[in-house]
Amino acid sequence: MAGLAGTAFIGSLGRLNAQSVSLSVPWMGWPEEQVRPLMAAFENESGVAIAEERLPIVELFKTLEVRLQARNETPDVYLVDGPLTASYAARGHLLDLGELMAGERDRFVPTTLVQGTYNDTLYAMPLGTSSQLLFYNKKLFAEAGLPEPSADPAARMTWEDLVPLARDLTRPDSSQFGFAFENINPYQLLAVPQSWGAEVIGPDGLTAAGYVDGEAMVEAMSWYQALFQTHKVGPVGTFQTGVTQEMFGSGKLAMMVGGTWNLVGLNKFQDLDFGVAPHPYFAKGKPVTPTGSWHVGINPRTAHMDEATAFVKWLSTRDAMDLWFELRQYPPALKQIWEERADTTFVDPAWAIVRHELAETATPRPATPGYREYEEFLRTAMQDIQTGADVRDTLARAAQNIDREMRKYR
């Protein structure tokens, strides 16, 4: 029915009129074969041309800032990183999608709507979501005579159990490390203090002091630092996803917390035999897993409102979402895709874990109009902490800097 509704909506445009329109759509710089078929499917159905720009993530954010701040009619539609919804919406850069998506919310996995919403209003339509898994090298576990982690979320490993295991899997003489996070982005690392029990921003979404530098945050990030500086189970100074993935794939890293994109990305390592387990947690706290991903929003100043809304509406249909999953396997935002693929794609134990996490432990990044500033200062702090900086002083400085930048949103 969703697919039929989307078709009917597009049909109302009138193909003769639509054929003269080209929508400006900044997009992530994924390979062309993962993007163009999605755009072409809409073009074939509607007659509306999509002029997508595939930009590297940093360039995408910079480009959007420049164009949206100009407050003119371009771009028409754009890719929104979930936690930036609040920032764009607060500055008037996103169209309220409440009317467009009326009656549609129940079709989505609930956690996917959180980061598309600001002040109880839906501004960005979820295109997919994300989760994190513990990847482990089966061969290295066997060589060390260690049992593999359980894939059962009810028997998930604690961080307290992981540390001695990582020490047993670390081989300094051959540059083999026991454990690392895939990167140092707050998206991934905030799960550590949140599992410890920390609140990572004030309830107003604008206050960092007392939260970013709160006692629970200091304790959790001291534990994180100890992984590298005391236990020495992780490679210091490795901050990029690609580097960590290469280390894991080449057998130089025994365990890695990483995104579901690795389920496909690690296939390039022909000799790698890996398993997956649920994200670890602190025994004193609760399981927390990162979630949130790409959304789609409409520039409220677009000169092609009918075509732009038709495109976003079409992207929310079952057919578009199923195609998008085929092209790039982010965990689906639509419940229907999970249900239809339950006996095929999602019989893989990894997807069973992900589905559980999305329902039970998924925790989106903080909703704040100042997320860009929050993330930047916190990322730098996390990087400095890993390399040995004083934890308390580093977090206090980050909190001070974040609060200074948040003043413009008050």
Side-chain angles (χ1 to χ4, degrees):
M1 290 300 293
L4 293 174
T7 300
F9 189 86
I10 289 170
S12 68
L13 288 174
R15 289 186 63 88
L16 291 178
N17 178 61
Q19 286 173 346
S20 64
V21 173
S22 177
L23 294 180
S24 167
V25 182
W27 208 257
M28 252 294 286
W30 296 306
E32 183 176 7
E33 63 272 16
Q34 295 180 2
V35 177
R36 180 90 289 265
L38 184 68
M39 306 304 177
F42 176 74
E43 291 172 338
N44 292 337
E45 190 164 328
S46 69
V48 177
I50 301 295
E52 78 271 11
E53 297 177 74
R54 294 181 297 109
L55 302 167
I57 189 166
V58 174
E59 291 304 312
L60 174 64
F61 294 154
K62 289 180 180 178
T63 297
L64 287 174
E65 279 302 308
V66 171
R67 294 184 188 176
L68 293 172
Q69 285 296 90
R71 308 190 79 82
N72 59 32
E73 67 274 10
T74 58
D76 298 294
V77 176
Y78 58 100
L79 205 59
V80 178
D81 192 16
L84 294 182
T85 298
S87 175
Y88 295 144
R91 293 180 287 159
H93 298 326
L94 283 170
L95 182 73
D96 178 346
L97 300 183
E99 183 177 350
L100 181 67
M101 301 302 292
E104 300 283 319
R105 289 173 179 261
D106 287 346
R107 299 175 54 233
F108 291 88
V109 175
T111 51
T112 68
L113 295 168
V114 174
Q115 289 200 329
T117 301
Y118 177 63
N119 283 347
D120 298 322
T121 300
L122 185 67
Y123 283 101
M125 194 277 294
L127 191 61
T129 188
S130 66
S131 190
Q132 298 279 302
L133 297 160
L134 177 68
F135 292 80
Y136 62 91
N137 186 308
K138 288 175 172 284
K139 178 182 177 182
L140 296 183
F141 267 74
E143 289 176 349
L146 297 169
E148 296 180 9
S150 172
D152 182 359
R156 76 176 68 228
M157 186 187 302
T158 65
W159 286 123
E160 290 87 347
D161 291 334
L162 180 137
V163 172
L165 189 62
R167 284 201 298 260
D168 289 342
L169 290 161
T170 298
R171 302 282 187 273
D173 55 336
S174 59
S175 299
Q176 176 184 308
F177 291 93
F179 171 77
F181 290 90
E182 191 172 6
N183 56 51
I184 47 86
N185 289 331
Y187 160 75
Q188 188 172 77
L189 291 188
L190 280 175
V192 173
Q194 287 171 325
S195 177
W196 192 276
E199 296 292 334
V200 297
I201 198 168
D204 60 358
L206 296 170
T207 303
Y211 300 93
V212 165
D213 59 350
E215 198 59 34
M217 188 79 155
V218 171
E219 291 171 355
M221 295 312 296
S222 296
W223 174 89
Y224 170 75
Q225 184 181 73
L227 288 175
F228 302 89
Q229 298 297 323
T230 303
H231 305 301
K232 301 185 185 301
V233 299
V236 176
T238 302
F239 305 131
Q240 299 301 319
T241 295
V243 175
T244 312
Q245 187 189 73
E246 286 290 330
M247 290 185 66
F248 182 80
S250 61
K252 294 299 182 181
L253 184 62
M255 294 182 288
M256 173 184 75
V257 164
T260 53
W261 46 82
N262 288 292
L263 296 171
V264 174
L266 291 173
N267 288 338
K268 65 183 180 181
F269 300 101
Q270 296 182 356
D271 296 330
L272 176 64
D273 184 14
F274 70 90
V276 296
H279 194 291
Y281 76 110
F282 287 110
K284 63 166 281 185
K286 63 180 181 179
V288 173
T289 54
T291 195
S293 189
W294 297 103
H295 290 56
V296 181
I298 298 171
N299 180 356
R301 296 173 287 274
T302 176
H304 307 297
M305 185 60 73
D306 287 346
E307 293 81 7
T309 52
F311 181 44
V312 172
K313 186 74 172 182
W314 178 82
L315 285 171
S316 75
T317 65
R318 177 267 172 203
D319 290 348
M321 288 284 193
D322 193 59
L323 173 59
W324 174 236
F325 181 76
E326 283 290 335
L327 296 172
R328 190 167 181 85
Q329 293 192 344
Y330 282 102
L334 285 190
K335 297 175 184 176
Q336 185 176 358
I337 306 302
W338 285 100
E339 292 161 1
E340 290 179 353
R341 293 175 173 266
D343 297 327
T344 53
T345 308
F346 299 139
V347 295
D348 186 313
W351 288 109
I353 295 171
V354 170
R355 191 168 192 179
H356 172 88
E357 306 291 41
L358 291 176
E360 302 294 338
T361 68
T363 304
R365 286 159 282 184
T368 168
Y371 186 79
R372 289 186 305 116
E373 297 88 340
Y374 176 90
E375 181 183 61
E376 186 58 36
F377 286 117
L378 199 51
R379 180 193 294 114
T380 299
M382 289 170 166
Q383 180 173 317
D384 291 344
I385 286 169
Q386 189 202 102
T387 55
D390 183 88
V391 176
R392 191 176 298 275
D393 290 347
T394 300
L395 292 175
R397 185 166 54 252
Q400 182 180 27
N401 288 334
I402 293 168
D403 280 346
R404 184 189 66 242
E405 294 297 318
M406 290 293 190
R407 291 172 191 162
K408 59 178 174 276
Y409 298 107
R410 293 185 180 276

